[in-house]
C-alpha cells in the first residue's frame, strides 16, 4: 500500500514562492503517474501538475509557467515548486499516484483526480497579504 505525505505548505504573500514535498513509501516510478492536486473551500478538487514514470509532465493552465513538478533521483519524493503565488492559489494541496496507465487517464492529461488511486493527507497553502 503506497503512502504519501505532503509537507511544505504555509502562509505566503502574493508573488512569493513555496516548495511542496511529497514523501512516498515506495518507488514512485513503479506508478504510471504522480501528481499534485488542490482543493479550495466550495470547489472541486483540481489537477495542478503531473509527471509520468517516463518523464512527461503536464500543467493546468492556471499554474503553467509558475509551478514546476519534479521528483528526486531515488524516486521517493515528489516536489512542486510554486512561484509567483496568487491568492487564488490558496487551497489544500495533495499529492497522488496512479498505478496503471489507462486511456482515460492519458486523455485527461493525468490531471483528473478521479483517475488516481493513492492520496496524501494534504498540506494547506494560503496566499494572502
Amino acid at each position: 500500500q503506497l503512502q504519501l505525505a505532503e509537507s511544505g505548505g504555509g502562509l505566503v504573500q502574493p508573488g512569493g514562492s513555496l516548495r511542496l514535498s511529497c514523501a512516498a513509501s515506495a518507488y514512485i516510478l513503479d506508478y504510471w503517474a504522480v501528481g499534485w492536486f488542490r482543493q479550495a473551500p466550495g470547489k472541486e478538487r483540481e489537477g495542478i501538475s503531473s509527471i509520468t514514470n517516463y518523464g512527461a509532465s503536464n500543467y493546468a493552465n492556471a499554474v503553467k509557467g509558475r509551478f514546476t513538478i519534479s521528483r528526486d533521483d531515488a524516486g521517493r519524493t515528489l516536489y512542486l515548486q510554486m512561484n509567483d503565488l496568487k491568492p487564488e492559489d490558496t487551497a489544500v494541496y495533495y499529492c497522488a499516484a496512479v498505478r496503471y496507465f489507462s486511456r482515460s487517464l492519458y486523455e485527461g492529461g493525468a490531471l483528473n483526480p478521479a483517475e488516481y488511486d493513492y492520496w496524501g493527507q494534504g498540506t494547506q497553502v494560503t496566499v494572502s497579504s
Side-chain angles (χ1 to χ4, degrees), residues 27-101:
Y27 186 53
I28 59 177
L29 271 70
D30 287 338
Y31 296 79
W32 190 78
V34 289
W36 288 96
F37 303 79
R38 68 186 182 189
Q39 188 165 23
K43 300 185 70 175
E44 294 185 355
R45 191 168 298 185
E46 62 176 331
I48 300 303
S49 184
S50 64
I51 186 166
T52 67
N53 59 10
Y54 55 92
S57 60
N58 194 23
Y59 297 89
N61 288 336
V63 307
K64 197 169 297 181
R66 299 189 296 123
F67 291 10
T68 304
I69 192 169
S70 64
R71 58 189 177 220
D72 68 1
D73 291 339
R76 293 293 296 270
T77 308
L78 181 71
Y79 300 101
L80 184 69
Q81 178 66 45
M82 305 186 295
N83 297 326
D84 192 25
L85 283 160
K86 303 175 180 181
E88 51 263 45
D89 295 319
T90 296
V92 177
Y93 283 71
Y94 300 88
C95 62
V98 54
R99 182 67 174 85
Y100 301 111
F101 168 87

